[in-house]
Amino acid sequence: MPKIKTHPRVRKGVTFPIQVSAICWIDLLGYGAMLAKAQFNPLQPETKEAMERLANFHRIVSDNSSRNFPSLVMNDGAVLFRDLSMRSSSVTYDFLVRSWKLFTEINAFENEVGLPGARAVLAVGFRMTGPQPPKNHKTGITGSILNRLKEGTISAEQAVREAAEVRPNFGMVRELQANFAFTKAYLAESSGKKGGFTGANFFADLNIFKEKIPEWITSSEVVEWSNDRLNLQGQFARIDDLKKIVKPGSTYASGILSGLEVAERIGGLTDVLAALRSTG
């Protein structure tokens, strides 16, 4: 019997003003206590150890970051982000695998040098694409570089170097603005032991899975989390191991939802796709 070809419900290249985002928030445990021990005084010798720890954390995050797995670090925390595909679950799977890899590399290094490690929370949710960032002085500086290059007063190599070093007065990451997955991941991780997020562990939003946690994932518990003040709640699986990492298209990686399926899970509407299309 010939295999029936199925077509995605969303055409290739279609985008919506509301996207489905995946966020992984990773936070170093005990970093603030290290600085408190030094009374937040950079002249104290204990501060040097904290700064070395921070530099190694940033290095590992940087080594794992890429075009499809961008990051933003803020002191002892890092956020990794990506919009999910409305057509395929491969992006969701890829983000989970990359997040897990980063988490395990950070903790392997921390364990080796006797440090507490990091905790990670992966969450999914909607984000508003919003307006373009405001213009800043970078445009003027870029114009100056182009004019001097055209006049021949600087070389092409110098122009590239200057452009790479331009620092705008205002900066923002568009993908993290009005990003409710980021809100969820950050608040959940910050709730710590009280919220059920204990130790240097990795927690994944159950909204990325189909009926249940796939067999190729080892999970020891499910955390029921809520923030009553902000009317937020979620279920997170504590992941202890990914038994096997394969290419996103493999049957072995089944059990993961696409962006559209995640939207249908969290959207609270009968026809989420129609609602997304109406925002265009």
Side-chain angles (χ1 to χ4, degrees):
M1 184 176 179
K3 185 177 180 181
I4 299 175
K5 187 175 182 180
T6 58
H7 298 277
R9 293 161 59 196
V10 179
R11 296 195 317 273
K12 188 175 182 180
V14 173
T15 59
F16 304 108
I18 297 175
Q19 295 289 317
V20 180
S21 176
I23 292 289
C24 182
W25 171 255
I26 300 181
D27 185 64
L28 288 180
L29 301 177
Y31 177 76
M34 295 176 72
L35 292 177
K37 185 178 179 181
Q39 299 179 319
F40 291 88
N41 184 347
L43 301 179
Q44 296 294 330
E46 292 88 352
T47 306
K48 182 179 179 181
E49 182 181 355
M51 292 300 99
E52 288 177 350
R53 184 187 185 194
L54 195 65
N56 285 315
F57 173 62
H58 291 174
R59 173 183 55 79
I60 297 172
V61 173
S62 175
D63 289 346
N64 281 270
S65 301
S66 67
R67 181 175 65 87
N68 289 325
F69 193 60
S71 64
L72 175 68
V73 293
M74 293 170 281
N75 291 314
D76 57 324
V79 55
L80 296 304
F81 52 94
R82 189 173 181 185
D83 288 340
L84 299 182
S85 168
M86 293 293 188
R87 293 164 53 87
S88 169
S89 63
S90 62
V91 173
T92 316
Y93 173 79
D94 182 68
F95 189 82
L96 171 63
V97 169
R98 289 175 187 260
S99 299
W100 173 256
K101 179 176 179 291
L102 172 59
F103 166 78
T104 54
E105 286 189 18
I106 292 171
N107 279 290
F109 179 86
E110 290 259 318
N111 291 339
E112 186 177 341
V113 295
L115 290 168
R119 181 165 54 235
V121 173
L122 188 157
V124 288
F126 293 113
R127 79 169 181 92
M128 309 292 289
T129 54
Q132 291 288 340
K135 292 183 178 180
N136 54 65
H137 86 293
K138 186 173 181 178
T139 304
I141 294 176
T142 302
S144 170
I145 295 172
L146 291 174
N147 288 335
R148 285 181 289 132
L149 178 62
K150 185 177 181 179
E151 294 167 357
T153 56
I154 60 173
S155 66
E157 181 179 351
Q158 184 179 344
V160 171
R161 290 182 182 277
E162 286 191 27
E165 293 174 357
V166 171
R167 181 176 180 177
N169 292 328
F170 173 86
M172 65 179 282
V173 177
R174 286 190 71 202
E175 293 88 344
L176 300 180
Q177 310 310 310
N179 187 318
F180 307 128
F182 187 17
T183 303
K184 186 177 181 181
Y186 178 80
L187 290 176
E189 192 283 323
S190 299
S191 68
K193 185 177 180 180
K194 184 178 180 180
F197 299 89
T198 57
N201 292 303
F202 185 102
F203 299 87
D205 194 330
L206 288 188
N207 285 316
I208 68 172
F209 304 123
K210 290 186 178 178
E211 298 299 325
K212 58 182 180 179
I213 300 170
E215 293 182 356
W216 49 271
I217 294 177
T218 302
S219 175
S220 56
E221 65 173 319
V222 171
V223 175
E224 300 278 350
W225 172 80
S226 65
N227 183 307
D228 295 336
R229 184 174 66 87
L230 296 177
N231 195 28
L232 281 172
Q233 54 276 324
Q235 294 179 307
F236 294 85
R238 172 180 157 180
I239 294 181
D240 300 316
D241 192 24
L242 301 188
K243 295 179 182 178
K244 186 179 181 182
I245 296 175
V246 296
K247 292 183 178 180
S250 169
T251 305
Y252 199 83
S254 62
I256 301 292
L257 297 179
S258 68
L260 178 57
E261 291 169 326
V262 171
E264 290 173 333
R265 178 77 63 82
I266 66 177
L269 298 173
T270 303
D271 193 341
V272 169
L273 182 54
L276 289 171
R277 284 174 172 154
S278 69
T279 64

